[in-house]
Amino acid sequence: DVKVTQSSRYLVKRTGEKVFLECVQDMDHENMFWYRQDPGLGLRLIYFSYDVKMKEKGDIPEGYSVSREKKERFSLILESASTNQTSMYLCASSLGWGRGTDTQYFGPGTRLTVL
Amino acid sequence: KNEVEQSPQNLTAQEGEFITINCSYSVGISALHWLQQHPGGGIVSLFMLSSGKKKHGRLIATINIQEKHSSLHITASHPRDSAVYICAVSSNTGTASKLTFGTGTRLQVTL
């Protein structure tokens, strides 16, 4: 089974702090994604990566950056956390372009609260 | 208007009832996905389909490409089916296949 893990289930940070959310997948997937999920808005794509060191902006990239130095690991960085970034953050991975399926496998989520 | 619309937003059913959740989309897609999210956050993929119908246990998913509409049916519903069901459509960007999500249908099945 594919396993996607996230570094924390719950995180509380203060306004202005730099925040790192880590995601690791163990199935050699090419693609990795970061989403945030808010009530009434559903999941929205922040950034995705289709290869090591390659990234593309999603629908709501403002205030976030990402890093993918190794294939299995995709990090989401909040450079200066703000209260409007309080949300559930979900990581996902998928096999990759032209590899037969685009089913995404999700991590358990990190509930981030910014005070 | 959202690209992916689900109805109803909330649904309460009694154990044993037949349940239908609907999804309409307004964009061209390569596939449609149904996902399940239990309390606590974890999301699992139930179905990916681009035509016709798929069945897995008590769950059935159908799609009508011409009408841009999909339904998820649950037969003989059970309290353990209580979850949020999310419809998503995938489109190809040239670098990856991205998902656009509906806002979900919260299902509560009572005894």
Side-chain angles (χ1 to χ4, degrees), chain B residues 46-47 54-61 73:
Chain B
L46 298 174
F47 295 104
K54 286 191 176 180
K55 185 176 190 291
H56 185 253
R58 294 180 294 105
L59 301 178
I60 303 165
H73 305 286

Side-chain angles (χ1 to χ4, degrees), chain A residues 93-109:
Chain A
S93 71
S94 66
L95 267 175
W97 181 257
R99 291 177 67 182
T101 177
D102 59 358
T103 295
Q104 291 188 17
Y105 298 85
F106 287 82

Side-chain angles (χ1 to χ4, degrees), chain A residues 54-101:
Chain A
M54 306 304 286
K55 61 187 179 188
E56 283 194 23
K57 293 180 180 179
D59 300 317
I60 50 163
E62 296 78 21
Y64 304 94
S65 62
V66 290
S67 171
R68 193 164 179 204
E69 297 297 317
K70 293 185 178 181
K71 192 174 187 179
E72 67 271 17
R73 188 179 297 269
F74 191 35
S75 302
L76 179 70
I77 302 151
L78 287 66
E79 296 289 342
S80 177
S82 63
T83 54
N84 63 14
Q85 292 179 309
T86 292
S87 186
M88 169 72 91
Y89 289 88
L90 288 137
C91 174
S93 71
S94 66
L95 267 175
W97 181 257
R99 291 177 67 182
T101 177

Side-chain angles (χ1 to χ4, degrees), chain A residues 3-71:
Chain A
K3 193 154 186 190
V4 180
T5 57
Q6 295 184 226
S7 49
S8 306
R9 291 301 306 271
Y10 299 95
L11 208 51
V12 180
K13 295 291 181 181
R14 297 211 175 270
T15 302
E17 280 192 76
K18 191 168 187 175
V19 182
F20 293 88
L21 302 182
E22 302 283 333
C23 175
V24 177
Q25 49 92 5
D26 67 356
M27 283 300 290
D28 199 37
H29 282 179
E30 303 282 349
N31 296 335
M32 296 187 76
F33 306 82
W34 273 108
Y35 298 96
R36 64 178 281 176
Q37 185 179 31
D38 300 287
L41 296 176
L43 282 95
R44 293 178 292 166
L45 181 64
I46 304 170
Y47 268 97
F48 70 97
S49 168
Y50 52 92
D51 200 351
V52 175
K53 296 191 189 294
M54 306 304 286
K55 61 187 179 188
E56 283 194 23
K57 293 180 180 179
D59 300 317
I60 50 163
E62 296 78 21
Y64 304 94
S65 62
V66 290
S67 171
R68 193 164 179 204
E69 297 297 317
K70 293 185 178 181
K71 192 174 187 179

